[in-house]
């Protein structure tokens, strides 16, 4: 499936971003004393990051579920597409449909 390849590429973008973020901020192991304001600012920053990570995880999960549903529909759509493409093309019917569409557009006044 072509859609599987595209979904893997999109998920790889997200995973590589999360991986690079994890690697860029290693745990600091310094024993220097810190004041209370620095510690509280770091804690609030980490809580904000935690909320963002939870939001991203929720978005990834919901989009993954939606993608799964769309891929499940692909089986039915493939059969319908195969049936539609296997039918012979009737040019007279296509010309008649086009003429009716053109008449419907030219008769209907524009509502600008």
């Amino acid at each position: 499936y072509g859609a599987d390849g595209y979904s893997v590429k999109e998920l790889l973008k997200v995973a590589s971003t999360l991986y690079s973020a994890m690697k860029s901020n290693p745990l600091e192991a310094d024993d220097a004393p810190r004041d209370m304001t620095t510690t509280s600012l770091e804690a609030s920053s980490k809580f904000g990051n935690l909320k963002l990570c939870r939001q991203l995880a929720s978005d990834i999960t919901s989009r993954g579920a939606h993608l799964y549903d769309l891929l499940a529909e692909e089986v039915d759509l493939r059969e319908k597409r195969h049936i539609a493409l296997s039918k012979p093309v009737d040019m007279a019917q296509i010309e008649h449909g086009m003429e009716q569409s053109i008449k419907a557009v030219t008769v209907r006044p524009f509502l600008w």
Side-chain angles (χ1 to χ4, degrees):
Y1 298 127
D4 287 341
Y6 292 123
S7 63
V8 168
K9 288 179 184 178
E10 292 299 318
L11 290 174
L12 185 61
K13 290 178 188 176
V14 173
S16 63
T17 303
L18 292 174
Y19 181 75
S20 64
M22 184 181 75
K23 286 295 187 182
S24 69
N25 192 8
L27 296 175
E28 297 177 13
D30 58 341
D31 294 331
R34 297 182 181 180
D35 60 352
M36 194 60 151
T37 57
T38 305
T39 306
S40 65
L41 288 176
E42 288 176 359
S44 65
S45 174
K46 288 182 181 181
F47 285 128
N49 288 341
L50 180 63
K51 288 180 182 180
L52 180 63
C53 287
R54 285 184 180 173
Q55 178 66 34
L56 287 173
S58 175
D59 289 346
I60 290 170
T61 304
S62 64
R63 290 176 189 252
H66 182 67
L67 179 63
Y68 179 80
D69 293 339
L70 291 175
L71 289 174
E73 292 175 7
E74 173 61 23
V75 175
D76 295 332
L77 294 176
R78 184 182 336 130
E79 292 174 12
K80 291 177 182 178
R81 189 171 48 245
H82 179 69
I83 291 170
L85 292 174
S86 65
K87 291 181 182 178
V89 178
D90 183 16
M91 290 303 290
Q93 184 180 9
I94 292 173
E95 288 175 0
H96 180 70
M98 291 293 289
E99 289 172 359
Q100 285 182 343
S101 297
I102 292 171
K103 286 179 184 176
V105 170
T106 57
V107 171
R108 186 181 328 155
F110 290 103
L111 300 174
W112 297 70

